Amino acid sequence: MSNTQSQRLMVEWHSINWRKLERSVYKLQKRIYQASARGDVKAYRRLQKTLMKSWSARALAVRRVTQDNQGKKTAGVDGVKSLTPKQRLELTDILNLGTKVSPTRRVWIPKPGTEEKRPLGIPTMKDRALQALVKLALEPEWEARFEPNSYGFRAGRSCHDAVEAIFKAIKLKPKFVLDADISKCFDRIDHEALLRKINTFPTIRRQVRAWLKAGVMDDKQLFPTSEGTPQGGVISPLLANIALHGMEERIKQYANTLPCKDGLNKRDTRRSLSLIRYADDFVILHENITIVQRCKEIISEWLKSMGLELKPSKTRLTHTLNQYEQEKPGFDFLGFSIQQFPVGKYHSKRGFKTIITPSKQKQKVHYEQIANVIETHKAAPQAALISHLNPIIRGWANYYATVVSKVAYSDIDDLTYQKLYAWAKHRHPKKNWGWVSKRYWQSIGGDNWIFATRKEGLTPTRLLKHADTPIVRHVKVKGESSPYDGNLVYWSTRMGKNPEMPNRTSKLLKKQKGKCTHCEMFFRESDVLEVDHKIPKSQGGKDIYDNLQLLHRHCHDTKTANDGSPGIKSGCNSAEPKPTRILEKVKDKWVMRYA
């Protein structure tokens, strides 16, 4: 292919009318969601076939795995990664279900806070794009069917929603808790049971079966996969959620058989028994210990149908307020410690308060991470140390900014100060403390003892404090709401209030009213967002809010290419006039033409 043709293909990818494609795909997804919600199987299967055959969906699937996803530069067994615009178009054209599947590449990554390692299965780029395409069709169908208290790996739902659901379940009455974990959930799911549960048309079923049976390459050896879903695939979280779908309904069925007591009707009895799940971690809550024990047996039997079982070492039965047998009150869930404490009648008319804090283990792991950074930067400049510590502090503090965290924040700040004190004394062993403190600590804006750089006439680089993070109560997602229900204003507003959303990104999201300034589409929960300088720094742009905008990652790529930033080879900066790309639909197929 000549350079001119190659350059034209590059321009073509960047000049695609992505707004039109996204609107077309989202309309189909919304119709699939609505058809699934009303139980119209024939309608949503017809729409799924239409979606997967469309050029728009194939192009969006390719863009997702080659431009947006974090693993876009990670190769599968074929060694392919970081596709060029020309290769993306070629992949879009050959993206069809039923093609041969390659085995996944085994990568071992450490589990946070443990010495164990978790196996990831990295599919090839083509398989990732195919999985993204199938996910576009399957996810809306299952979002309409998933249970309201399922929060893991779902668009628009988070750990904080699960914790808030637990708080609402126990805030009025102490309850017994079954805190359970499924043993090696991703590795042991029964393939045939999963395929029966998906219950889709043959083309998708054969493709999903092929992915499940593809095998894995580990150290140049091919191992068969007779069970489990590969962690690392685009569609794996959705398949795991489908496998575990039905646990909550099974518990509710049992609740309907319970006798009504204390004036409660069937509806209240059903509500008083709760199962809240985040991926393979779940809790069952009820005030009666016998009912909770029976629920454990029911769930164990239910899991056997999917080839799964509870992990005894991570399954405990306890109470939220009182000690039960040898178990202390309260439990840990998703890094939070949830416990109730007795108080006087002037504190609470119920005689107890529900307090949620960062778990002791997570506090320990976080401090060890800070201490390790300080230890490994003994010879580094103060500014470099601060630049390494601030993202760690900001991310951890934001995650726990919705619960009672001020005491934990202050404790970690005190320990961090002691570590920094030792760091500073180590650098200047012959200087007294007064000299050292003046060199590394300052008073800024009325705050004393701020670990910050001292540069005359320049804004100092300061270390963030955990305790400066404001505590803001999280608002739980509405029961069975979904990003496919069409209420884009609600979902874009929730994104800005997500506790893990950086402050600058949240402000820009609010300023732009939830829309990308480049494509003018609403940001969605699955989108990857990036902050862009309207006038690039290389052209004299300043790092101030008036010069910042929030874009999709793919929109940012296009905008940066058009800015002519160094290192960007997109073909958009050539001396030739850019051809105008036109999409025409001929006999149900999109044809690309130039004007």
Side-chain angles (χ1 to χ4, degrees):
M1 183 178 288
S2 67
N3 290 335
T4 304
Q5 288 175 316
S6 178
Q7 193 176 64
R8 174 168 287 184
L9 284 171
M10 292 180 189
V11 173
E12 181 181 301
W13 179 264
H14 287 296
S15 58
I16 289 175
N17 187 349
W18 292 106
R19 176 183 171 87
K20 184 175 181 179
L21 269 59
E22 286 196 28
R23 287 173 65 89
S24 171
V25 170
Y26 182 69
K27 282 182 179 179
L28 278 173
Q29 288 183 309
K30 190 165 67 170
R31 290 175 64 191
I32 292 169
Y33 174 85
Q34 291 168 344
S36 180
R38 65 176 183 266
D40 192 343
V41 178
K42 186 176 179 180
Y44 71 68
R45 286 188 177 173
R46 185 185 69 250
L47 291 166
Q48 285 173 332
K49 292 175 183 177
T50 303
L51 177 67
M52 289 190 297
K53 289 179 181 177
S54 72
W55 190 86
S56 301
R58 298 205 308 270
L60 288 175
V62 170
R63 187 182 68 173
R64 167 66 62 184
V65 300
T66 60
Q67 286 188 267
D68 289 348
N69 286 358
Q70 296 290 348
K72 62 184 178 181
K73 295 184 179 180
T74 304
V77 293
D78 59 355
V80 175
K81 61 180 180 178
S82 300
L83 300 187
T84 63
K86 170 179 170 289
Q87 291 170 324
R88 293 173 201 154
L89 273 177
E90 291 173 349
L91 179 57
T92 302
D93 291 336
I94 64 171
L95 204 63
N96 292 304
L97 296 182
T99 52
K100 186 177 179 181
V101 173
S102 302
T104 59
R105 182 170 70 90
R106 173 64 52 83
V107 176
W108 294 90
I109 62 169
K111 282 188 177 182
T114 66
E115 295 182 358
E116 296 180 46
K117 289 192 174 182
R118 176 185 287 121
L120 290 187
I122 309 299
T124 61
M125 193 65 74
K126 183 180 177 182
D127 284 334
R128 272 179 263 176
L130 267 177
Q131 288 184 16
L133 179 62
V134 172
K135 186 180 178 183
L136 286 175
L138 278 184
E139 193 170 53
E141 172 199 341
W142 281 93
E143 274 294 326
R145 298 160 64 180
F146 280 143
E147 295 154 330
N149 282 316
S150 164
Y151 297 97
F153 304 125
R154 290 182 60 190
R157 291 166 182 256
S158 66
C159 303
H160 300 87
D161 292 311
V163 171
E164 186 65 20
I166 292 173
F167 175 79
K168 289 190 173 184
I170 65 175
K171 66 178 182 179
L172 299 178
K173 184 176 289 188
K175 292 183 178 181
F176 285 95
V177 183
L178 174 68
D179 179 15
D181 181 61
I182 301 171
S183 178
K184 297 183 179 179
C185 175
F186 282 89
D187 300 329
R188 293 185 177 175
I189 293 174
D190 184 270
H191 288 173
E192 295 306 318
L194 175 59
L195 290 169
R196 284 196 301 271
K197 202 166 189 178
I198 294 175
N199 190 29
T200 186
F201 51 90
T203 309
I204 291 185
R205 185 169 64 248
R206 283 194 296 266
Q207 189 67 61
V208 172
R209 183 195 294 274
W211 285 325
L212 295 174
K213 302 289 187 182
V216 60
M217 288 288 291
D218 191 358
D219 196 21
K220 299 182 180 180
Q221 285 188 311
L222 179 62
F223 296 94
T225 49
S226 58
E227 59 183 7
T229 61
Q231 297 183 61
V234 176
I235 203 172
S236 297
L238 176 61
L239 295 181
N241 266 333
I242 293 173
L244 297 176
H245 171 70
M247 292 174 64
E248 186 178 355
E249 184 55 37
R250 179 66 188 89
I251 290 298
K252 295 300 183 185
Q253 289 174 4
Y254 168 65
N256 285 336
T257 66
L258 297 175
C260 300
K261 293 183 179 180
D262 301 326
L264 295 178
N265 56 30
K266 281 283 184 185
R267 185 179 178 185
D268 292 331
T269 304
R270 184 180 171 99
R271 281 181 175 178
S272 64
L273 179 59
S274 306
L275 184 146
I276 296 160
R277 180 174 67 84
Y278 187 93
D280 58 344
D281 293 335
F282 66 93
V283 293
I284 296 176
L285 304 160
H286 196 269
E287 59 196 270
N288 189 318
I289 182 64
T290 306
I291 292 176
V292 175
Q293 289 172 333
R294 176 58 185 149
C295 286
K296 180 182 178 181
E297 297 172 4
I298 291 171
I299 289 298
S300 295
E301 293 172 8
W302 187 91
L303 288 172
K304 286 180 183 177
S305 65
M306 294 302 301
L308 301 172
E309 61 182 7
L310 296 179
K311 190 172 185 177
S313 61
K314 289 190 176 181
T315 301
R316 44 187 304 258
L317 190 58
T318 184
H319 193 265
T320 57
L321 179 62
N322 306 314
Q323 182 167 333
Y324 172 70
E325 294 183 349
Q326 303 301 318
E327 296 288 348
K328 295 181 180 178
F331 62 101
D332 290 351
F333 190 68
L334 303 177
F336 295 87
S337 180
I338 303 165
Q339 187 177 345
Q340 292 173 325
F341 297 88
V343 294
K345 63 179 181 179
Y346 295 107
H347 287 86
S348 170
K349 63 182 180 181
R350 297 180 184 86
F352 66 88
K353 276 192 174 181
T354 304
I355 305 295
I356 303 176
T357 60
S359 70
K360 294 294 183 183
Q361 182 192 3
K362 295 300 181 182
Q363 292 181 49
K364 180 183 177 182
V365 170
H366 177 57
Y367 171 68
E368 287 175 351
Q369 189 179 10
I370 290 174
N372 183 57
V373 171
I374 295 173
E375 285 290 333
T376 55
H377 287 76
K378 286 184 176 179
Q382 185 184 16
L385 176 62
I386 292 173
S387 67
H388 279 83
L389 288 175
N390 275 350
I392 298 171
I393 294 172
R394 183 186 293 110
W396 195 87
N398 283 347
Y399 182 80
Y400 291 104
T402 61
V403 296
V404 185
S405 303
K406 283 297 184 182
V407 174
Y409 286 170
S410 297
D411 290 344
I412 296 176
D413 282 336
D414 291 343
L415 292 171
T416 303
Y417 168 78
Q418 294 174 27
K419 202 70 181 176
L420 291 172
Y421 168 83
W423 175 87
K425 287 292 288 181
H426 177 268
R427 293 170 69 88
H428 307 281
K430 297 183 180 180
K431 298 291 185 179
N432 60 44
W433 173 238
W435 185 91
V436 172
S437 63
K438 287 181 181 179
R439 180 178 176 87
Y440 294 108
W441 278 267
Q442 296 189 50
S443 295
I444 301 175
D447 291 336
N448 298 322
W449 291 100
I450 302 297
F451 189 75
T453 57
R454 185 177 294 277
K455 294 182 180 179
E456 297 297 332
L458 297 175
T459 303
T461 303
R462 59 178 291 175
L463 182 71
L464 297 176
K465 284 187 174 182
H466 296 78
D468 290 340
T469 304
I471 303 297
V472 180
R473 183 70 175 270
H474 180 70
V475 179
K476 191 178 84 68
V477 66
K478 292 178 183 176
E480 297 181 355
S481 297
S482 169
Y484 299 105
D485 59 12
N487 194 353
L488 294 178
V489 176
Y490 170 76
W491 291 105
S492 62
T493 303
R494 275 189 63 83
M495 284 179 65
K497 296 177 181 178
N498 191 310
E500 297 181 87
M501 181 76 71
N503 190 43
R504 186 167 68 168
T505 304
S506 181
K507 286 182 178 179
L508 290 172
L509 193 63
K510 184 177 180 181
K511 181 181 178 181
Q512 296 172 198
K513 298 181 179 178
K515 289 186 177 182
C516 173
T517 54
H518 186 271
C519 65
E520 297 183 352
M521 295 287 290
F522 275 107
F523 290 113
R524 294 173 61 189
E525 288 289 339
S526 57
D527 291 336
V528 183
L529 314 184
E530 289 187 350
V531 177
D532 171 67
H533 292 80
K534 296 177 184 176
I535 302 174
K537 285 186 174 181
S538 60
Q539 298 176 16
K542 296 182 179 180
D543 196 19
I544 56 176
Y545 273 105
D546 288 342
N547 190 44
L548 298 178
Q549 60 183 347
L550 197 62
L551 305 176
H552 294 103
R553 176 174 285 175
H554 46 263
C555 292
H556 192 194
D557 289 347
T558 304
K559 192 259 182 188
T560 304
N562 292 332
D563 285 341
S565 298
I568 303 296
K569 298 178 182 179
S570 66
C572 293
N573 302 315
S574 61
E576 294 182 18
K578 298 177 184 176
T580 304
R581 183 181 182 285
I582 300 173
L583 277 176
E584 292 183 2
K585 198 172 185 181
V586 180
K587 293 183 179 179
D588 298 327
K589 183 177 181 180
W590 286 101
V591 178
M592 296 169 282
R593 303 188 187 279
Y594 293 92

